[in-house]
Amino acid sequence: EAGVAQSPRYKIIEKRQSVAFWCNPISGHATLYWYQQILGQGPKLLIQFQNNGVVDDSQLPKDRFSAERLKGVDSTLKIQPAKLEDSAVYLCASSLAYEQYFGPGTRLTVT
Amino acid sequence: AQSVTQLDSQVPVFEEAPVELRCNYSSSVSVYLFWYVQYPNQGLQLLLKYLSGSTLVESINGFEAEFNKSQTSFHLRKPSVHISDTAEYFCAVFTGGGNKLTFGTGTQLKVEL
């Protein structure tokens, strides 16, 4: 069974630029999550989708972050414009029930 | 709201020595508990989980954790570590009401020869 796929793996941008991350969950997993992991901290949930609907986006900085999950399968997370404090690893995960499966993450560096 | 505390940010240990990584949680409702491991430049991998039943759960690579409801703890142990166990370990709690996973800040396990 293929795991959660994410791209790109690494991205370096300047502040005020925009960036997008892509995630393809495990086939059949209805729930998809985006996490932000800042160096030295645990992952923090940004947004949770159930199929193509948003379940929880209370921690998403909506003035600059957006996410969509068209057709309830893959998902895109966008940051526009980026700030220095957005430097982090962005993890995507998917689940059927309680157990979440994580992708390799995208390491974003904002300079 | 639930929270997870991992008191030790770093744990150095010599190879073949035992190790315990501590995890305490706070929640007013029933919880499911997880340990995830993260190797450098990789995503999180599930190490073991407690959903119900026996309070002692084991992983395939020799780790075990015990759910202690009275102490609200889920400490991770291994009787003899290997150099390949060097990684960051995250404890996480899932509650059905919030339907989301809350992570601790992680413990960096460094195994030395």
Side-chain angles (χ1 to χ4, degrees):
Chain A
E1 165 180 277
V4 177
Q6 287 188 251
S7 67
R9 290 296 312 277
Y10 305 91
K11 190 74 177 178
I12 301 174
I13 62 172
E14 295 181 352
K15 59 183 179 183
R16 292 186 290 274
Q17 286 187 323
S18 63
V19 64
F21 313 126
W22 174 82
C23 171
N24 191 33
I26 293 173
S27 177
H29 282 195
T31 311
L32 185 147
Y33 311 80
W34 282 103
Y35 291 87
Q36 180 191 58
Q37 185 179 17
I38 292 173
L39 187 64
Q41 299 181 20
K44 182 187 83 171
L45 180 68
L46 292 175
I47 190 167
Q48 176 183 345
F49 291 95
Q50 181 76 17
N51 296 309
N52 60 351
V54 176
V55 173
D56 183 353
D57 64 355
S58 58
Q59 299 292 308
L60 188 74
K62 298 180 186 65
D63 57 333
R64 298 185 300 106
F65 286 64
S66 64
E68 60 182 11
R69 189 183 184 195
L70 300 176
K71 300 180 181 179
V73 182
D74 56 349
S75 175
T76 302
L77 176 70
K78 296 179 182 178
I79 307 175
Q80 183 179 13
K83 293 184 175 181
L84 294 177
E85 58 261 36
D86 298 331
S87 293
V89 175
Y90 291 85
L91 295 165
C92 179
S94 69
S95 73
L96 273 177
Y98 313 114
E99 187 172 328
Q100 295 185 20
Y101 297 83
F102 286 80
T106 296
R107 183 177 298 276
L108 173 67
T109 302
V110 182
T111 63
Chain B
Q2 64 265 26
S3 66
V4 180
T5 302
Q6 293 182 249
L7 288 172
D8 306 305
S9 60
Q10 293 186 18
V11 174
V13 62
F14 287 109
E15 194 172 38
E16 298 184 5
V19 70
E20 177 180 82
L21 307 184
R22 297 179 292 170
C23 172
N24 289 88
Y25 67 93
S26 65
S27 176
S28 59
V29 297
S30 296
V31 298
Y32 301 130
L33 295 159
F34 301 84
W35 275 99
Y36 282 86
V37 58
Q38 186 175 34
Y39 298 102
N41 299 314
Q42 294 187 28
L44 279 71
Q45 301 173 30
L46 181 67
L47 188 60
L48 45 75
K49 61 188 175 187
Y50 169 79
L51 302 181
S52 65
S54 173
T55 57
L56 183 66
V57 291
E58 299 177 351
S59 72
I60 58 173
N61 57 353
F63 283 93
E64 64 178 31
E66 186 160 20
F67 169 56
N68 188 318
K69 188 175 182 179
S70 63
Q71 297 186 5
T72 59
S73 68
F74 192 54
H75 301 331
L76 181 69
R77 302 184 183 95
K78 189 170 185 179
S80 176
V81 295
H82 189 267
I83 196 82
S84 60
D85 293 325
T86 294
E88 185 138 27
Y89 293 79
F90 292 93
C91 182
V93 59
F94 180 97
T95 57
N99 207 35
K100 66 178 184 180
L101 211 53
T102 300
F103 287 87
T105 51
T107 298
Q108 180 67 43
L109 175 64
K110 186 174 181 182
V111 181
E112 302 168 352
L113 294 172

